Amino acid sequence: MIVRDILNESTKALEAAQIPSARLDAEVLLAFCLGCDRLEFLKNPERRLDPAQRAAFDKLISRRLRWEPVAYITGRKAFWTFTLEVSNDVLIPRPDTEVIVEEMLQIAKKSDAARIKILEIGTGSGAIAIAVASEIPHASITATDISFAALNVARRNAESLGLQNQIDFRQGDLFEPVEGVFDIIASNPPYIGAQEYQELSDGVRSFEPREALFAGESGLEFYEKLIYQAQCHLEKNGWLLLEIGARQEKDVCRIMEASGFYDHIEMRRDYAGLPRVIRARRKVSG
Ligand code: SAM
Ligand code: GLN
């Protein structure tokens, strides 16, 4: 069978299963299967697959038909300027999360510290810590996660990009494994409440780690803890940055204000125009 027919057939099967971006998924999986770039076979749609390639591709498509995310099938996901290894031990980094990286860079670039100290809580694949390390060579970064398995993925990602010396990975609950104070603390914590958890797509709910997503009944559990505990680990005038769900702006700002520890509480939208990051500065007197 030739590439054109295989792509048409698999796209139809994925569409019938209501998989969004069916055509793109079929192309990405075919490129992965053939170990080449998508453009290579798109330029040559008459290319013929041998039976072994065909069988391997059918296996990948059947996994996608059960809603397994493409990134788990291929084991990789593009983020920022690089590609990360991902497994089902880690959340697949979302494009929206690049917004918190941009905000961290903006703050870091204004700092005159010779060695800016940054902490990321809940690093997962390492996406945020690694992106910041790749942009700011003088940043010293600590990245934590409660999951050993996630940290192994994050460490491998840092190593494969040659950034392992800049990031100290530590396992533990929130601030428990860290000492000292930081100029920037950032987190994309779990923020899905009980109601939203039921509304997640099958691909997310059945395949991504529950402990990376679920944050108690309200979805706010981690914000309360991060906002109150971060102030003991922030330099005076240090910044706390939190990724939030699109409907959590008011609640998270309210918790920040009620704590009395922060000023300059500001929200940044993502490229879909939805509230995505709250940042706040630790008060000098707080
Ligand atoms: N930072 C990654 C990203 O943006 O793609 C992953 C974010 S994921 C939403 C949240 C991460 O927090 C998961 O890797 C999860 O294992 C971790 N986590 C959950 N509870 C935690 C806790 N109590 N302490 C530290 N990390 C925790
Ligand atoms: N943005 C993710 C989702 O909607 C949630 C990530 C998180 O809980 N931090 O699937």
Side-chain angles (χ1 to χ4, degrees):
M1 214 174 179
I2 59 168
V3 160
R4 185 191 302 111
D5 296 342
I6 287 174
L7 280 178
N8 287 342
E9 189 188 282
S10 48
T11 302
K12 269 200 205 124
L14 293 171
E15 278 170 355
Q18 293 180 359
I19 307 273
S21 62
R23 176 78 190 192
L24 178 65
D25 288 1
E27 289 177 7
V28 170
L29 291 174
L30 186 58
F32 174 67
C33 179
L34 300 178
C36 69
D37 199 79
R38 267 164 66 221
L39 281 182
E40 248 174 72
F41 60 71
L42 292 178
K43 276 190 297 196
N44 184 11
E46 308 292 324
R47 173 171 170 184
R48 200 162 283 282
L49 264 62
D50 65 39
Q53 288 170 326
R54 180 68 216 268
F57 180 64
D58 285 348
K59 270 199 190 145
L60 302 180
I61 291 292
S62 65
R63 286 171 69 179
R64 185 65 186 130
L65 283 170
R66 289 192 293 272
W67 281 80
E68 185 170 351
V70 171
Y72 288 150
I73 301 175
T74 62
R76 55 197 192 207
K77 176 75 184 175
F79 185 80
W80 201 249
T81 58
F82 39 76
T83 298
L84 294 171
E85 171 195 330
V86 293
S87 74
N88 52 11
D89 290 320
V90 299
L91 185 94
I92 299 165
R94 310 290 202 259
D96 294 337
T97 296
E98 294 184 351
V99 173
I100 197 169
V101 174
E102 289 170 1
E103 291 293 299
M104 291 166 78
L105 295 180
Q106 200 199 65
I107 292 170
K109 282 177 181 161
K110 280 191 199 147
S111 155
D112 44 20
R115 193 150 179 76
I116 184 160
K117 287 185 71 188
I118 298 178
L119 171 64
E120 190 209 349
I121 300 282
T123 196
S125 63
I128 296 173
I130 291 171
V132 172
S134 75
E135 299 287 338
I136 310 186
H138 65 286
S140 141
I141 303 174
T142 302
T144 76
D145 207 287
I146 200 156
S147 157
F148 270 116
L151 283 170
N152 283 335
V153 175
R155 275 197 195 96
R156 280 199 297 276
N157 278 322
E159 268 162 31
S160 70
L161 293 162
L163 296 167
Q164 70 277 11
N165 296 335
Q166 235 184 302
I167 311 175
D168 180 8
F169 289 102
R170 296 191 177 198
Q171 189 271 335
D173 181 19
L174 299 180
F175 294 92
E176 183 246 339
V178 299
E179 311 96 43
V181 289
F182 297 86
D183 301 295
I184 297 177
I185 298 177
S187 184
N188 170 18
Y191 56 65
I192 306 291
Q195 172 74 34
E196 291 94 21
Y197 196 75
Q198 296 314 314
E199 293 165 8
L200 291 175
S201 74
D202 284 354
V204 176
R205 202 178 44 238
S206 313
F207 291 94
E208 300 211 55
R210 192 176 187 276
E211 55 287 2
L213 293 163
F214 188 61
E217 190 56 35
S218 66
L220 298 170
E221 205 169 76
F222 284 88
Y223 296 120
E224 301 260 2
K225 292 182 181 163
L226 287 166
I227 289 167
Y228 279 86
Q229 294 175 26
Q231 65 98 21
C232 317
H233 296 276
L234 272 174
E235 287 281 6
K236 293 201 168 100
N237 287 331
W239 289 85
L240 173 64
L241 295 96
L242 299 170
E243 179 171 320
I244 58 164
R247 286 172 287 181
Q248 293 175 316
E249 178 189 359
K250 271 203 191 118
D251 287 323
V252 174
C253 288
R254 180 179 45 75
I255 301 168
M256 283 203 169
E257 273 154 19
S259 77
F261 299 138
Y262 303 93
D263 57 18
H264 289 83
I265 302 171
E266 295 154 2
M267 182 271 287
R268 180 55 223 275
R269 289 177 193 275
D270 62 24
Y271 291 96
L274 300 171
R276 188 57 62 201
V277 172
I278 304 281
R279 68 181 206 183
R281 203 180 63 169
R282 189 193 148 187
K283 276 187 193 168
V284 176
S285 56

